Amino acid sequence: MASEARFLVLTDLHLAGTLKRDEIKSPSIPKIENPSRIAATGELLSSIADYLRRRHLTLEAVIFAGDAQDKGSKGSHDAAYQSIVDAFQEFGIDAAKIVSTPGNHDVLKGSPPGSEERYADFASVWREKGCVVPWIDGLDPQKPSDTVRHRLVADDAQWAIYPLNTSNWSQVRANVPKDLATIWDELPKKMAQGNGILEEQVKAALGRLLDYDMANISNDQLKLFRQTVDDTPQPTAGSQVRLAVMHHHLRSPSFRVEYKPFEGIANLEQLRSVLKETNVAAAIHGHKHEHNFRYEYVQSSDPDFPHRIAVVSAGTFQDGAVHDAALLLTLKGLPYTPEISVERIDLPRMALDLTVSAPVSLTLVGMRNVEGAPVIVQGSNLDELYARAVKKAKSHIGETLIVHYDPSDTGKGSLKLPSQYPRSNGVTEEEMQNWLEDLVQWWQLERSSRDNDFPYPHGSRLRLFGGKLNQIDRIVKLLDQEPSSRALAVLVDPLRDFDRNGEDEAFPSFTMMQVRKRETLRHTFSIDVIGFYRAQEFSQWWPVNMAELRLLQSELADQLKANLGTITTVTTDARFKPQGPGQVAVPVFDRWVDQSPEKLFMLALTLSGDTRGEPFQESLLREWVRSLNDIKEASSAADIDGLLIPAEGLKTLVTYLSMIDRQGEKSPLVQQLRSLVTANQTYQQSRKLAAHREAWSGSIATIVPSIIALTPVNRNR
């Protein structure tokens, strides 16, 4: 099975007259003259054959994209065909391995579309000699029994070439407008008033008003094109690479504007759709006499995966311009990693080596959306990235979602919350940012008051894994050595977290982190972090996860004296829950136990009625009421994996309050808080089935409003 196939692409030879290659001022000097275009073509093809021969290269076929003639010049088709066969017969090129399609100069001007006289010159050579030609209106039956003559297929069917005729309406004369039909033929005579020369000029001018050089493909041909593709044998390995050949362009290959009717293919969008539905990988065309090589995208059912076509615009040699006289086109990487490579060939000078450009390649691997394949979102603006990631999570719930953040700067500092991140009412941006930073710092504490009853905090698993291994220090040590550039840390301990049947397992969604040290400039490095999650909620948790990864990244970069690089999150179970901030903010009381135990004491003092009007007390009460509302909101929202239910912090608060409040245990607020602790602990220790959650939610809906009503800030209103 061949891994590559090479083709020669020619177009717009216009084999009539002389090629004005040199500026010859005195044509009277004997034996100094410019060559004919036929002679120049022969020398070009001979040089290409020599180039292939010396490099022991093969040639599968020759592709001719039209315009052998120049304004219908006779004999040009035979000259083009014979030049090709003479030059490349030693490479096995005969009529059966030449693909040819007519150009707008190859049809008889003024002849009716789909008529025999229109294609007489083209058909007498390319068609009659057995070349691969397109289905031609008026010459071929509408229901051919055999489509073989309209395609060229590799022996192993790894590639196939299909010519299309875009010139059936080229050089066509339109019908005279009905209101002028009766006098049209008389107009030249009447306007000339006996002047024979003027009469001919007027007649020619009026004729030009009706002449159109229109590119269009008939519905019959498109139908036969699909049938030809469907009839093509398929390869035993990989996907077939399909090439379409036509004369006219899918899109202008340059910025040069041509102001004329029908500058492009009239039914272009229909053609583009047919190419998409027949899975054509590349389209080759001429006509514009200009080289270009790029992708064309055609809309598909999935807007993120348009059909991609590699478009090869082939140039030609012209007076005073010898570049892009021909192209060597090579399919590489067959059958599984196909790509198309183009080498541009200049018109040679006698006795000089052929000038062939370095190959330029485009991949032909389809942009197909495989069902269940990972979804990838990437960007450098966090606000935009968050919005796109949330949108993808909504539409790909339960699927693998990879989000890659490459910040536009390499500066230090924590990540900000995205502008569209849900905010609690009345919370300032400063308070939200403080909340985020406090939360991610709590996640990274080496020890937490909740380590024993709540296995989710990450700090102890990263910094005290198994009670003794600091994985962050290990990463620093590894990356500080040469040639090590990668290290990883795990947050799942099978001995601690796994059980026999998996029913009672509880461990973090954040399961693993990989760190890469990447050289960005000479002796300058960046630290990239990749976080792996067994499940990840994107509306609320993804920005928090990103902020935590940035915290870890900053710590590693500081110790390794490196810049901050990229952050990537990988989750195998994308989730989106339109919940409120409560489901992320719930553990605030437990965080206070670890981070700010004095807040709990001052809050107990404030709740007991000792309100001195201090600013920090007002702030505490606002945070208290907001957190209570968060608990209520979390209890009524749909449950997600890893819901954090406050317990330890509330128990500590109740203990303080029962000692400070004058009524002690009889205080209504103390009693309601104990009811809240009991409800939370009961649910936390349950299997969290629907009935358990419903009971807990009902209790919260009653208890929380009562606590808020007993809070001093509300009693004083």
Side-chain angles (χ1 to χ4, degrees):
M1 185 178 296
S3 62
E4 69 176 41
R6 186 173 295 99
F7 310 93
L8 175 65
V9 178
L10 302 168
T11 188
D12 297 275
L13 295 178
H14 296 290
L15 298 180
T18 300
L19 173 66
K20 297 177 182 177
R21 182 166 192 174
D22 298 314
E23 190 173 352
I24 301 175
K25 295 293 186 181
S26 178
S28 61
I29 297 177
K31 296 188 178 182
I32 295 181
E33 58 184 15
N34 278 309
S36 68
R37 291 189 66 89
I38 292 177
T41 299
E43 180 61 29
L44 168 66
L45 301 186
S46 176
S47 296
I48 294 173
D50 184 59
Y51 175 86
L52 296 173
R53 187 184 307 114
R54 284 187 290 159
R55 287 162 179 77
H56 307 288
L57 300 176
T58 59
L59 193 63
E60 301 293 335
V62 174
I63 297 171
F64 180 59
D67 275 0
Q69 299 183 156
D70 184 55
K71 299 179 181 179
S73 56
K74 299 296 182 179
S76 298
H77 291 291
D78 189 65
Y81 170 81
Q82 203 59 51
S83 295
I84 292 171
V85 172
D86 289 346
F88 302 110
Q89 57 185 347
E90 66 178 282
F91 296 90
I93 301 300
D94 55 15
K97 291 190 176 182
I98 298 175
V99 180
S100 180
T101 190
N104 58 314
H105 285 254
D106 294 330
V107 297
L108 181 62
K109 185 175 182 179
S111 60
S115 61
E116 288 191 16
E117 61 265 34
R118 166 164 285 257
Y119 298 103
D121 291 343
F122 175 86
S124 66
V125 177
W126 308 101
R127 192 168 181 267
E128 294 302 321
K129 291 183 180 296
C131 298
V132 177
V133 295
W135 182 90
I136 297 179
D137 297 83
L139 272 68
D140 292 312
Q142 289 194 349
K143 295 183 179 180
S145 58
D146 190 359
T147 57
V148 171
R149 66 186 306 174
H150 305 309
R151 66 177 185 242
L152 178 62
V153 186
D155 293 339
D156 57 7
Q158 287 297 322
W159 52 263
I161 305 175
Y162 304 93
L164 279 162
N165 177 23
T166 59
S167 301
N168 195 43
W169 281 268
S170 295
Q171 309 294 346
V172 72
R173 174 152 291 189
N175 295 322
V176 176
K178 289 183 179 180
D179 54 346
L180 296 175
T182 57
I183 63 170
W184 187 266
D185 292 338
E186 300 298 324
L187 285 176
K189 186 174 183 180
K190 290 181 178 181
M191 295 176 68
Q193 296 180 351
N195 186 330
I197 296 177
L198 179 59
E199 182 177 342
E200 289 301 317
Q201 291 175 340
V202 173
K203 185 177 180 179
L206 290 176
R208 286 194 293 272
L209 293 177
L210 299 178
D211 289 341
Y212 291 102
D213 193 13
M214 178 181 179
N216 191 59
I217 304 177
S218 70
N219 289 328
D220 287 338
Q221 184 181 176
L222 291 174
K223 180 180 178 181
L224 264 296
F225 176 80
R226 292 207 64 157
Q227 180 183 333
T228 304
V229 173
D230 292 342
D231 291 347
T232 304
Q234 296 302 298
T236 57
S239 298
Q240 188 173 73
V241 175
R242 295 171 180 165
L243 312 179
V245 180
M246 64 202 76
H247 181 66
H248 292 89
H249 50 285
L250 291 178
R251 180 161 54 94
S252 178
S254 72
F255 294 118
R256 185 169 60 91
V257 179
E258 188 173 357
Y259 294 100
K260 57 175 285 188
F262 305 113
E263 186 276 334
I265 299 175
N267 57 342
L268 176 60
E269 197 56 35
Q270 183 181 5
L271 171 62
R272 282 161 41 92
S273 297
V274 169
L275 296 179
K276 175 197 72 176
E277 293 184 10
T278 52
N279 199 29
V280 168
I284 303 163
H285 72 82
H287 184 56
K288 282 292 191 177
H289 298 195
E290 294 184 73
H291 171 77
N292 206 331
F293 186 39
R294 83 288 190 208
Y295 288 123
E296 177 85 353
Y297 295 90
V298 185
Q299 184 66 39
S300 67
S301 57
D302 188 333
D304 289 335
F305 292 90
H307 181 71
R308 187 174 64 188
I309 302 172
V311 179
V312 182
S313 175
T316 188
F317 57 93
Q318 303 179 80
D319 292 346
V322 298
H323 301 298
D324 301 321
L327 292 175
L328 278 178
L329 185 153
T330 307
L331 298 179
K332 300 180 179 180
L334 300 173
Y336 299 114
T337 58
E339 63 180 48
I340 186 169
S341 173
V342 167
E343 298 168 89
R344 303 160 68 179
I345 301 173
D346 290 352
L347 191 68
R349 283 282 184 177
M350 189 69 71
L352 295 181
D353 289 339
L354 191 68
T355 301
V356 180
S357 70
V360 178
S361 300
L362 293 176
T363 180
L364 296 180
V365 176
M367 299 173 62
R368 300 184 184 94
N369 184 14
V370 179
E371 189 69 28
V375 178
I376 301 175
V377 181
Q378 53 188 315
S380 57
N381 180 283
L382 188 62
D383 286 347
E384 178 183 339
L385 190 63
Y386 170 70
R388 293 172 56 207
V390 166
K391 183 177 180 180
K392 288 296 183 185
K394 285 182 183 179
S395 57
H396 294 82
I397 291 175
E399 299 182 24
T400 299
L401 180 54
I402 301 171
V403 183
H404 180 73
Y405 176 52
D406 188 358
S408 55
D409 61 80
T410 57
K412 307 294 183 180
S414 58
L415 288 184
K416 306 296 182 183
L417 279 172
S419 59
Q420 293 185 354
Y421 188 84
R423 264 74 168 171
S424 297
N425 292 333
V427 181
T428 67
E429 286 301 310
E430 183 180 2
E431 289 174 329
M432 286 296 294
Q433 192 62 32
N434 289 338
W435 162 80
L436 176 66
E437 294 179 9
D438 288 345
L439 180 60
V440 298
Q441 288 171 1
W442 178 68
W443 278 112
Q444 283 302 311
L445 288 178
E446 185 175 302
R447 296 181 184 275
S448 169
S449 62
R450 298 210 62 175
D451 275 349
N452 293 328
D453 67 328
F454 190 72
Y456 295 152
H458 307 146
S460 59
R461 290 170 177 263
L462 286 173
R463 303 169 192 280
L464 206 62
F465 190 88
K468 59 181 180 180
L469 176 62
N470 189 320
Q471 298 188 80
I472 302 301
D473 288 347
R474 177 179 176 273
I475 289 174
V476 172
K477 183 178 180 181
L478 287 173
L479 297 186
D480 207 23
Q481 301 174 359
E482 292 295 342
S484 179
S485 62
R486 296 175 186 269
L488 62 82
V490 295
L491 288 87
V492 179
D493 184 349
L495 295 177
R496 171 185 176 184
D497 301 324
F498 293 174
D499 59 34
R500 188 176 299 274
N501 55 25
E503 291 183 359
D504 297 322
E505 291 180 358
F507 51 86
S509 288
F510 184 18
T511 57
M512 186 175 72
M513 177 179 68
Q514 184 164 342
V515 182
R516 177 178 65 172
K517 183 177 72 173
R518 173 170 50 91
E519 187 171 7
T520 50
L521 296 171
R522 185 173 177 83
H523 304 305
T524 301
F525 297 90
S526 292
I527 299 298
D528 299 332
V529 175
I530 303 97
F532 297 86
Y533 298 80
R534 59 182 172 86
Q536 198 171 28
E537 196 284 321
F538 277 79
S539 173
Q540 296 289 313
W541 279 107
W542 182 80
V544 177
N545 298 150
M546 288 289 287
E548 183 182 17
L549 291 175
R550 169 54 71 89
L551 179 69
L552 291 165
Q553 183 185 44
S554 297
E555 180 180 345
L556 293 168
D558 285 342
Q559 295 190 57
L560 293 167
K561 296 180 175 57
N563 295 320
L564 300 180
T566 62
I567 302 177
T568 307
T569 62
V570 181
T571 179
T572 56
D573 185 1
R575 301 181 181 183
F576 173 81
K577 298 291 183 180
Q579 63 221 28
Q583 295 206 232
V584 176
V586 165
V588 61
F589 308 121
D590 297 324
R591 288 193 285 110
W592 283 352
V593 173
D594 291 327
Q595 293 174 301
S596 305
E598 70 279 1
K599 282 189 175 183
L600 288 171
F601 181 79
M602 293 306 302
L603 178 59
L605 190 67
T606 303
L607 291 175
S608 71
D610 187 1
T611 53
R612 305 172 185 176
E614 297 289 344
F616 74 88
Q617 289 184 308
E618 295 179 10
S619 175
L620 278 177
L621 287 174
R622 284 200 309 273
E623 194 165 2
W624 164 249
V625 173
R626 185 171 64 248
S627 299
L628 289 172
N629 284 322
D630 286 342
I631 296 173
K632 183 180 177 182
E633 187 174 350
S635 69
S636 60
D639 194 6
I640 63 170
D641 189 42
L643 178 65
L644 303 181
I645 302 170
E648 292 300 318
L650 282 175
K651 285 194 293 184
T652 302
L653 176 65
V654 172
T655 300
Y656 287 159
L657 186 60
S658 63
M659 292 187 297
I660 295 172
D661 195 287
R662 295 177 182 178
Q663 300 181 60
E665 289 291 337
K666 295 181 179 181
S667 165
L669 185 56
V670 170
Q671 293 176 2
Q672 290 294 330
L673 286 172
R674 288 204 182 279
S675 297
L676 179 59
V677 171
T678 301
N680 286 347
Q681 287 182 321
T682 300
Y683 180 62
Q684 186 66 42
Q685 295 166 6
S686 72
R687 295 184 62 188
K688 298 184 179 61
L689 301 177
H692 301 145
R693 181 172 181 82
E694 185 176 348
W696 176 60
S697 181
S699 298
I700 298 300
T702 301
I703 297 170
V704 167
S706 299
I707 295 175
I708 292 176
L710 293 169
T711 297
V713 68
N714 288 280
R715 291 204 305 259
N716 293 339
R717 285 181 178 175

